[in-house]
Amino acid sequence: LGDSMVHAEAEIHVERSPEQILRWVVDLDRYKRADQKITKVIDRPVLDATGRGVARYRGQLRGLPTPVDTNLVSLKEWESLTFRGAPGVWTRRFVDFAGTFECTTCGDGWTLLRHSETFAFHPASVERLAAVLLGPWLQREIETEVQRLKELIES
């Protein structure tokens, strides 16, 4: 995404299989209960035989609404799921986005889930301001998000 960006990541052990976790996450209508940055799902990703699809949704950052964005979705069965800002969409003029979910089986029904999100804002001068305004908030939000996901998926 670039050299200067806003990045956050967190990991947590979840008492579910990688398949159960990634199926839960790819269902954005359900996943937005854990990720409160997603405010409205417009198009859920429907994955093809190669594990690829497209998602469209509206979100918010620090309570401020963001425009509808389009992401390319890629599932590597049952190891990882990636959401990446679709090229050619007008929002790419202002921000690139990548969100990943990586699963590692730990045994006895447990999985280590690592989730990260990266935003690269344009122009680069905006990046510095975004880092100050969003960096610490995004890190706290990602940590809370994986905890909510764990609680929701294990219940």
Side-chain angles (χ1 to χ4, degrees), residues 28 31-32 35-43 55-71 90-92 95 97 117 119 121 134 137-138 141 145:
L28 290 182
Y31 184 68
K32 75 179 189 173
D35 184 350
Q36 297 179 350
K37 296 180 304 299
I38 300 171
T39 58
K40 182 176 182 175
V41 177
I42 295 157
D43 292 315
R56 292 182 67 239
Y57 57 88
R58 179 180 300 278
Q60 65 179 353
L61 295 174
R62 288 197 75 151
L64 298 173
T66 61
V68 172
D69 199 7
T70 303
N71 284 184
W90 73 273
T91 50
R92 293 298 79 75
V95 65
F97 170 76
E117 291 185 6
F119 294 86
F121 293 87
L134 295 179
W137 170 84
L138 184 62
E141 183 59 31
E145 183 180 325

Side-chain angles (χ1 to χ4, degrees), residues 8-9 23 25 36 41 47 50 77 83 96-97 105 109-110 112 131 136 148 151-152:
E9 63 182 66
R23 282 189 187 277
V25 172
Q36 297 179 350
V41 177
L47 303 182
T50 67
E77 249 181 46
F83 292 79
D96 287 326
F97 170 76
T105 302
W110 287 89
L112 175 63
R148 276 192 298 261
E151 292 167 5
L152 286 165

